[in-house]
Amino acid sequence: MVENIQRVAQEIEAAQLGSAAELEQFRIAYIGRKGAIAALFDDLKSVAPEQRRQVGQELNQLKNRAQARFDEAQEQLANAGTGSEAENAFDFTLPPIPNTLGTRHPLSLVRAEIVRIFERIGFNVADGPEIEDDWHNFTALNFPENHPAREMQDTFFLSEDRDKLLRTHTSNVQVRLMENNQPPLRSIMPGRVYRNEAISARAHMVFQQVEGLYVNKGVSFKDLKETLYYFAKEMFGQETKIRFRPSFFPFTEPSAEIDISCLICKGEGCNICKQSGWVEIGGAGMVDPNVLSNCGIDPEVYSGFAFGMGIERITMLRYQIRDLRLFTENDVRFLRQFKGVI
């Protein structure tokens, strides 16, 4: 052990610290948590008890010497960079670089278009918190206690009792809207949501979602279908094909998945549509009577429909973008393509 301490001490004294790179190498090799001195401290437990105190003192001296050499060299490098050469490195006679204006993000463009489309048919915009409690995110929406969405593989919980979490959908805004207002209600809820998913070309742990809710007397599934037909054709074009597939959601009954014909491959098959020619853009259905009751609305008097869609998925289809990760990489080469889009 003593021989190892002496060897490291010699290496520390002989180290060349004339540049920032050499200084960083020295820090990693000797001062860092995985450096040689830390390894010697780990080996201290193998020293005989009667020698451990003396060896420990030598290790502390070695550590202090290494830190002193590092601090001295760092100060010398800093002083060397404040001379006249460094002061004159920048040419102040150069003309200034003019300010450049940015462009609107494609997700912001599509979100604004979604809002405009639904505003034309009487929907307003509602908002709510991104940090939510269990009642508004799950229980009020008819999620049973053993539902997989409550588990850690899907939801980011913020407390041990799982009552605080990052919302997994903007349905929490629907619950708050129904709790605090009486029908008729007709709103969309765009916003950011969080799910513990693997990041890929088609999925991300943070994404934008827009949901819609209409509650009134006599609302039917036909009203839901006509609303979504109108939206899809306004967003993607009058030639867009739409289909509804039966599905299940705890908060709607009956429920359906919404697909449109893939605009990227024109139905021939690609990685976005999984070679099927169809792309799912969201889910929808009639609001479950239990959800209405949980929110203080009489299901014997009122009915309603709800739907939800991912804004990233809609943007990918609208602008034929093949990789969802581009939205969060801040690559200006990608973002500049939308400079002329309004």
Side-chain angles (χ1 to χ4, degrees):
M1 184 67 174
V2 175
E3 294 178 356
N4 290 335
I5 294 175
Q6 293 175 349
R7 174 180 56 79
V8 173
Q10 293 173 357
E11 293 176 356
I12 289 173
E13 294 300 329
Q16 298 295 322
L17 303 178
S19 67
E22 290 175 342
L23 191 64
E24 179 64 11
Q25 291 177 359
F26 180 88
R27 185 191 67 79
I28 296 173
Y30 300 105
I31 301 177
R33 288 183 294 178
K34 297 184 179 180
I37 296 177
L40 289 174
F41 272 103
D42 290 339
D43 293 338
L44 186 61
K45 59 180 178 292
S46 63
V47 176
E50 63 272 12
Q51 299 178 350
R52 194 170 296 167
R53 181 176 181 180
Q54 180 182 354
V55 173
Q57 292 176 347
E58 293 181 7
L59 278 177
N60 285 325
Q61 293 174 1
L62 179 66
K63 179 181 178 181
N64 293 335
R65 178 53 186 158
Q67 187 65 51
R69 278 224 65 194
F70 178 84
D71 293 340
E72 291 170 2
Q74 190 176 47
E75 184 177 356
Q76 291 175 0
L77 287 174
N79 293 334
T82 59
S84 59
E85 182 179 349
E87 292 175 356
N88 298 325
F90 182 79
D91 186 355
F92 289 96
T93 65
L94 291 173
I97 300 175
N99 292 329
T100 56
L101 297 177
T103 61
R104 297 186 67 188
H105 194 280
L107 293 179
S108 298
L109 293 168
V110 170
R111 172 173 167 156
E113 180 62 19
I114 292 172
V115 171
R116 284 193 293 267
I117 291 172
F118 281 106
E119 280 182 341
R120 290 198 289 267
I121 55 175
F123 283 79
N124 58 25
V125 178
D127 196 12
E130 295 182 11
I131 297 178
E132 194 51 277
D133 56 45
D134 179 89
W135 169 260
H136 291 95
N137 198 83
F138 290 130
T139 304
L141 292 165
N142 211 32
F143 281 87
E145 292 187 1
N146 61 350
H147 195 279
R150 293 175 179 267
E151 298 301 321
M152 289 299 295
Q153 67 265 25
D154 292 322
T155 305
F156 291 103
F157 291 99
L158 304 179
S159 61
E160 292 185 2
D161 61 3
R162 299 192 176 188
D163 189 51
K164 295 297 181 183
L165 50 94
L166 296 178
R167 67 181 181 186
T168 58
H169 44 208
T170 57
S171 302
N172 67 316
V173 186
Q174 296 187 33
V175 176
R176 293 179 178 274
L177 186 67
M178 289 187 286
E179 284 180 336
N180 298 313
N181 300 274
Q182 285 298 309
L185 304 171
R186 184 156 48 185
S187 299
I188 59 171
M189 302 86 184
R192 187 183 294 110
V193 299
Y194 308 83
R195 295 180 188 177
N196 192 3
E197 298 183 0
I199 298 175
S200 67
R202 302 181 71 254
H204 204 287
M205 58 183 289
V206 182
F207 58 96
Q208 301 281 332
Q209 190 181 55
V210 58
E211 295 193 12
L213 174 72
Y214 178 38
V215 179
N216 205 347
K217 296 179 180 179
V219 177
S220 67
F221 201 90
K222 181 180 183 297
D223 299 316
L224 168 63
K225 292 179 67 176
E226 292 298 331
T227 300
L228 294 176
Y229 277 134
Y230 167 79
F231 165 75
K233 291 184 178 293
E234 288 292 310
M235 175 60 70
F236 302 111
Q238 297 300 313
E239 302 301 321
T240 303
K241 298 179 181 179
I242 308 167
R243 73 177 184 183
F244 288 79
R245 291 180 289 109
S247 186
F248 168 78
F249 303 109
F251 36 82
T252 55
E253 180 62 36
S255 305
E257 303 279 0
I258 315 160
D259 298 338
I260 67 167
S261 51
C262 183
L263 304 180
I264 294 177
C265 65
K266 310 303 181 185
E268 295 181 1
C270 65
N271 68 315
I272 299 300
C273 67
K274 297 182 179 180
Q275 311 302 322
S276 67
W278 293 91
V279 177
E280 176 190 336
I281 64 169
M286 301 301 295
V287 180
D288 192 290
N290 289 339
V291 175
L292 294 175
S293 297
N294 290 338
C295 298
I297 296 176
D298 189 348
E300 298 295 329
V301 178
Y302 297 100
S303 60
F305 65 72
F307 58 84
M309 295 173 281
I311 297 179
E312 279 87 348
R313 183 69 57 84
I314 296 173
T315 307
M316 293 174 76
L317 291 168
R318 185 176 176 87
Y319 297 122
Q320 300 190 10
I321 299 168
R322 294 180 178 269
D323 195 325
L324 182 145
R325 292 168 290 193
L326 290 169
F327 294 131
T328 53
E329 289 178 350
N330 294 324
D331 189 331
V332 294
R333 296 170 299 177
F334 167 72
L335 298 174
R336 282 172 181 164
Q337 299 177 72
F338 303 92
K339 186 175 183 180
V341 180
I342 59 174

